[in-house]
Structure formats: structure tokens, C-alpha cells
Amino acid sequence: MVTVAAGRRPFTPRSLARPVVLLLLTALVLYPLLWMLGTSFKAPEEILNNISVLPEKWTPENYPDGWTHFDVAFGRYFLNSFMVAALTVVANCTSCLLAAYAFARLRFRLRGFWFAIMIGTLLLPSHVLIVPQFVMFRSFGWVGGPWPYLPLIVPHLLATDAFFVFLMVQFMRGIPRELDDAAKIDGCSPYSIFRYVVLPLSRPALVSTAIFSFIWTWNDFFRQLVYLSDLSKYTAPVALTLFIDSTGQSAVGPMFAMSVLSLAPVFLFFVAFQRLLVEGINTTGLKG
């Protein structure tokens, strides 16, 4: 007589199918990334002829060649990208948090109307706004100015990322209002309630905003290509396009090598804060 241990399901072909399908899907999703990593070690003549992940001949010279391929070291482009991404994170977290606090906890005239207008901006593609923004920033003297990163950073100081405002509003609505009432009884003003009650409890939403802001800004190509014209001011995504000439064949190996290095900051940032990211997205109310 066959017995099954308590807590264990009997082995069936159906129970084996699920992990097999998951492994196949994982391999399918990871193949482009692994192929790019393997291609960064391939010789140029092998890149277009070998679709295998592993190179036939390992060529680690792609990395030093890519790093010193231009007159400006590629590390300069990493620093430019990191500066833009870090300042954008600070600007987004500060401005979106203040805007979300106003929509979620304060009472003012036409609050619902302005919130609906803000949500409506989510429907606008960013490419629709790039022309009037470019004209406006050029009239300010920011385009081609001594510090051309102003058009990339200043808009984030005005809570223009409606998605992050909406994310924080939804999070703050889960914080019990009884905490606000208790703080008011203790004599707290709206600013004190924000400083000592709402801000400490909004850490998961802030971390989610910081992670998404960093990843999206680091990977942004279109806006940075529009506003940056000086070679030494380029960011990493824009600099990667310089490896391709009109024939589309030159310096492909170094380009893949620098592409792999460009993924490292995003990957490390995500791994370091993934627990808080999941917590911020999943939180629907105050815990504890």
C-alpha cells in the first residue's frame, strides 16, 4: 500500500509541467541579456555570425577598447548619467511627496478638479510635450547653455511626474486619519503633521519612487539626446550610439561591452532596494 507523507503532494506529470514551463519562460526572458553579456566577449567578425550565448573565442579587449574609444573616457558618461539620475531622484521624491500630501490630506478649493487634471496628464505621451518644452527651455537659455542638464532636472522639481504623485496619494490615503487628529490635539500644524507623521510612514512609497525614477532616468535616451549636444556632456545611453557609424558595423564589440557596464548600476540599485520596492507597491494600508 502506497502512503503519502503528510504535507506532500503526490508526484504527477502535471506537477512537473509547471516548473518546466517556468524554467523555459525564464530562459526565454534571460536569453537576450545573456546573449548581450556573451557578445561583449566576442570578436567583431563573430558577433553577427554566432547566435550562441558563449563566444568561440573570448575577447576581453572589448572592455578597455570601449572605455577609451572616444576622446572622453566612458567613465565621464557614467558620471553624467549618475548625476542626472541622482538629482532627478531627489527632485521627484521631494516635489511628488509634497504634492501628494496636499491632495491626500489637506482640504482646499477645487482639490478634486486639480487632481483629475493631474491624472489626465498621464494620458499625454511625453513625445507630444517635447516640442513646446524645447521651445520654452531654449527661450530660457538652458538648451546649449553652460549646464545643459537643467531641462532634464528642473521639471521634476515641479511634481510633473503624475504617476509618482498618484502612487503616493494612494499610499497616504491608507494612513489612518486618526493619527492626524491625535497630532492636532497635541498642537501640531499641517506642516508638523507632514514632518512627524506622514513623512516617516511614507518611506515605502518614497523608496518605490526613488527606484523607478533612477531606473527610468538612467535608461532615458530620447530626452537626453534632444537636450545634450556637447560630447563631454553626454550620458551613457546617448554615448552608446556613438559606437555605430553609418555602416552600422564599427565598434560593435566595445558597444556591447559598455552596454553591459551600463546595466550594472540599474541592476545593483534594484537588488539593493527590491524588498522595499515590493513593500511599497503592495502596501494598501498602515501595518502594525
Side-chain angles (χ1 to χ4, degrees):
M1 178 178 181
V2 179
T3 58
V4 179
R8 287 187 179 182
R9 295 182 177 179
F11 174 79
T12 62
R14 186 175 181 181
S15 64
L16 182 62
R18 183 178 181 183
V20 170
V21 171
L22 291 177
L23 287 175
L24 290 176
L25 290 176
T26 302
L28 184 64
V29 171
L30 291 181
Y31 176 76
L33 181 62
L34 296 177
W35 185 85
M36 186 178 69
L37 179 61
T39 303
S40 67
F41 291 99
K42 294 178 181 177
E45 60 274 11
E46 185 187 350
I47 291 177
L48 299 180
N49 301 320
N50 183 10
I51 63 173
S52 173
V53 171
L54 297 177
E56 297 177 358
K57 179 183 177 182
W58 291 83
T59 310
E61 292 81 9
N62 286 332
Y63 284 87
D65 290 347
W67 193 265
T68 59
H69 187 77
F70 308 110
D71 295 335
V72 181
F74 209 85
R76 177 67 184 178
Y77 304 131
F78 278 112
L79 289 177
N80 293 340
S81 282
F82 184 80
M83 176 191 64
V84 173
L87 292 177
T88 300
V89 168
V90 174
N92 261 342
C93 290
T94 304
S95 62
C96 294
L97 183 67
L98 293 173
Y101 175 69
F103 281 124
R105 314 297 280 193
L106 302 182
R107 296 285 184 270
F108 56 89
R109 192 175 182 184
L110 299 178
R111 184 182 66 163
F113 172 76
W114 292 119
F115 186 72
I117 293 294
M118 185 207 67
I119 294 299
T121 61
L122 288 172
L123 304 177
L124 288 176
S126 60
H127 301 80
V128 174
L129 304 175
I130 194 67
V131 173
Q133 286 180 346
F134 183 85
V135 173
M136 182 179 64
F137 292 143
R138 188 176 61 179
S139 67
F140 293 164
W142 293 355
V143 179
W147 208 65
Y149 305 111
L150 287 174
L152 300 174
I153 298 172
V154 171
H156 298 288
L157 291 170
L158 305 176
T160 55
D161 289 291
F163 171 76
F164 297 130
V165 178
F166 177 73
L167 178 70
M168 291 188 179
V169 167
Q170 293 303 104
F171 184 87
M172 289 181 185
R173 284 175 176 171
I175 300 176
R177 284 193 171 273
E178 287 78 8
L179 296 177
D180 294 21
D181 298 335
K184 290 178 182 177
I185 293 174
D186 292 337
C188 288
S189 63
Y191 169 77
S192 299
I193 295 174
F194 169 76
R195 170 66 181 84
Y196 298 106
V197 177
V198 177
L199 179 59
L201 295 175
S202 300
R203 191 183 66 160
L206 275 174
V207 172
S208 300
T209 300
I211 292 175
F212 282 123
S213 294
F214 184 87
I215 294 176
W216 292 352
T217 305
W218 186 274
N219 291 331
D220 180 34
F221 170 75
F222 181 68
R223 294 181 70 248
Q224 296 174 4
L225 178 65
V226 168
Y227 291 114
L228 302 179
S229 56
D230 190 345
L231 180 64
S232 63
K233 306 295 184 183
Y234 279 180
T235 54
V238 181
L240 286 175
T241 62
L242 300 177
F243 286 103
I244 303 296
D245 63 6
S246 58
T247 65
Q249 297 293 326
S250 64
V252 179
M255 182 192 69
F256 278 105
M258 293 302 99
S259 298
V260 172
L261 293 183
S262 299
L263 288 177
V266 177
F267 179 75
L268 295 176
F269 197 81
F270 177 78
V271 170
F273 298 102
Q274 63 171 338
R275 182 182 61 82
L276 294 175
L277 174 65
V278 175
E279 180 182 353
I281 294 175
N282 290 338
T283 300
T284 56
L286 184 63
K287 296 182 175 65

